[in-house]
Amino acid sequence: MKKTVVAAVIGSVVASASAMAAEVYKSDELSVNAYGNLRARYETTDNGVMGADSTFTGEGTELGLGVTYFLQDGLYVNGDVLSEMNIIPEDGDGNDDDSFLKFGSIALGGDFGEFRIGRMSAIQDTLAGQYDISWEYAGTANIKDDAYATDRLTNGFQYKYDMAPYGLTMMLQYHTGDEGVDASGNANPNNGELGIDQAYALGVAWESEFGLGLSGTYTYSERTKQDVKYGGDDDTSWTLNATYRIQELSLAAMYSDYDFAGNEQTGIGAMARYDLPVGIGLYGIYDYVDYDTDDNTLDQYTIGADYWLNDSVVSYMEYADMSYDKQSSNGETFQDDSAFTIGMRVYF
C-alpha cells in the first residue's frame, strides 16, 4: 500500500506520496514537483514466505516527478513518472535489487473530469483495501496482481470524475493488455498464460463529512490463453469497502470476491487503529482468505506501532503471523509463516 500520513489514508479516496511533493518550479502556467520516499528496514521471518530472513533492505524506495501545464478555461495537462528501487542491495534476491518504472502517464483534465493514459495504478489498488494500514505485511484479503489488472496496468486508459460537493469519486479504466508481461516488464509465469488481452474496471467511492467512507470496485479481464489447471480464460473480481474515523480511532473493513479463470477465492479484511496524542499509532489487522477451489483457508494477524517524528518521517515495527488450514490441497502447497520488521521511511 502506498503510504503518506496514515491518519490521512484512513477515510481518503486516494493516498499518494505526491501529497508531500516538493515544488521545484511554479508559475501561472507551469508547475513542476518532485516527490518520493526513502525506505530502510530490517526483516526476519520463520520460513521466508512473507519476506526475506535476517535481511536489511531499502526495497520500495520511490522517486517521482510530476509536471502540470495549466491551459485556458480550467484545462490542464499533467505528466507523472514514478520509479521504484532498492537503495540497500540484497545478495541473492534477484529482481529486488533492480529499479523499474512503476508508473508513467499523461493526463488531460478540467471541469469534465480527467482522462489519463499510460502505466498507472489499477482501480482496485486505488480505491480498495483501505483497511490495510500496515507498512509491510497485511492486505492479504485484497487479492490483487498485475496479471489480473487489479494492481497495476501496463497499458491503461482511465477516466476519473470527482464530485467534491457530494464527496463522490467515479473511475473507469480500460487495459489494452500486456501479452504475458507484468507492469515491470517481466515475463509472467506459465509461458504467458496469465497475460492479459484486455481488461475493464470501474469503481466508485464516497466520503462523508462525519467520518464514514464507502467504496466498491469491479474488474474483468480476458486472458491471452486458457488456464491449464482451472480451464478458464477470464478473471473477475469485485470488492466492497468501508472506513470510519471518530477522533483518534479508525476502523475499516473489506469484502472481496474473485474468480481467476475458475480459481475462486473470497477475502475478508478488518482493522482498528488508535492514534495517541504523542504521535504514536497502535493498530491491528485481520485477514481471512477462503481458497474455495483449492479447498483451503488462510488466517493472518498483523499488529504494529508507528511513530511520526514529523509530517515526513515515520518509524515503525510490525509483527505478522499467517496460517493455513491445510499445508497441501488440490495439488497446491501452502506454507505457514511469521515475520517481524522494524523500519523507517522519509517522505518528500
Side-chain angles (χ1 to χ4, degrees):
M1 176 183 180
K2 301 181 290 297
K3 293 295 193 300
T4 58
V5 179
V6 175
V9 174
I10 301 303
S12 66
V13 174
V14 179
S16 171
S18 61
M20 293 185 180
E23 192 172 81
V24 177
Y25 177 80
K26 177 71 173 180
S27 70
D28 292 339
E29 296 181 343
L30 183 65
S31 175
V32 181
N33 298 295
Y35 64 95
N37 59 83
L38 302 176
R39 306 187 186 190
R41 66 185 178 97
Y42 172 79
E43 178 180 54
T44 181
T45 66
D46 281 348
N47 296 315
V49 177
M50 303 183 75
D53 185 40
S54 301
T55 302
F56 284 96
T57 177
E59 182 184 0
T61 292
E62 298 171 329
L63 180 61
L65 181 68
V67 179
T68 303
Y69 186 70
F70 301 98
L71 307 172
Q72 295 180 348
D73 300 322
L75 296 176
Y76 65 87
V77 177
N78 169 262
D80 198 277
V81 293
L82 181 68
S83 180
E84 183 174 311
M85 67 202 77
N86 186 352
I87 60 173
I88 305 176
E90 304 169 33
D91 293 333
D93 280 355
N95 290 332
D96 285 348
D97 297 336
D98 296 337
S99 61
F100 66 94
L101 182 65
K102 187 174 183 178
F103 300 119
S105 62
I106 297 176
L108 172 66
D111 294 338
F112 53 82
E114 181 186 85
F115 291 93
R116 184 171 294 273
I117 181 173
R119 179 171 295 186
M120 66 190 71
S121 175
I123 284 180
Q124 181 171 313
D125 184 48
T126 301
L127 297 184
Q130 294 188 40
Y131 79 97
D132 174 21
I133 46 81
S134 73
W135 296 102
E136 302 297 342
Y137 297 124
T140 307
N142 184 22
I143 308 167
K144 60 183 183 179
D145 195 284
D146 297 340
Y148 313 133
T150 53
D151 193 0
R152 288 191 296 258
L153 305 185
T154 308
N155 307 294
F157 295 87
Q158 175 180 285
Y159 172 70
K160 178 182 177 183
Y161 186 71
D162 288 315
M163 301 176 66
Y166 304 99
L168 281 173
T169 296
M170 295 176 288
M171 300 179 68
L172 299 172
Q173 279 183 342
Y174 173 69
H175 186 22
T176 63
D178 53 30
E179 300 299 330
V181 298
D182 62 21
S184 302
N186 300 314
N188 275 326
N190 303 322
N191 298 318
E193 288 163 8
L194 295 183
I196 297 174
D197 181 48
Q198 58 182 342
Y200 309 85
L202 58 89
V204 60
W206 172 71
E207 186 175 0
S208 72
E209 296 181 353
F210 51 87
L212 177 65
L214 301 173
S215 64
T217 70
Y218 175 79
T219 304
Y220 171 79
S221 62
E222 299 174 353
R223 298 193 181 195
T224 56
K225 296 182 181 180
Q226 189 176 54
D227 187 272
V228 174
K229 181 175 182 178
Y230 300 105
D233 58 4
D234 59 3
D235 309 298
T236 60
S237 67
W238 59 269
T239 67
L240 297 174
N241 320 275
T243 62
Y244 184 67
R245 182 173 178 86
I246 177 171
Q247 297 181 350
E248 289 78 21
L249 178 65
S250 300
L251 303 171
M254 173 184 182
Y255 177 80
S256 55
D257 184 275
Y258 303 87
D259 184 342
F260 299 139
N263 182 12
E264 298 182 2
Q265 304 174 25
T266 56
I268 298 173
M271 79 87 186
R273 175 185 173 90
Y274 189 80
D275 291 291
L276 301 173
V278 293
I280 296 176
L282 306 174
Y283 55 90
I285 305 164
Y286 173 67
D287 287 285
Y288 172 83
V289 180
D290 184 349
Y291 299 89
D292 183 65
T293 305
D294 287 330
D295 189 27
N296 207 351
T297 60
L298 166 70
D299 287 278
Q300 180 175 323
Y301 301 88
T302 305
I303 57 173
D306 53 39
Y307 173 64
W308 287 90
L309 284 74
N310 54 46
D311 289 344
S312 300
V313 182
V314 61
S315 59
Y316 61 92
M317 64 176 61
E318 202 165 272
Y319 172 80
D321 180 86
M322 59 184 293
S323 60
Y324 291 93
D325 179 50
K326 302 175 183 178
Q327 299 297 293
S328 179
S329 56
N330 197 24
E332 298 290 338
T333 300
F334 303 88
Q335 188 174 20
D336 299 344
D337 200 8
S338 62
F340 172 80
T341 188
I342 182 169
M344 177 175 288
R345 298 188 186 184
V346 180
Y347 291 93
F348 60 89

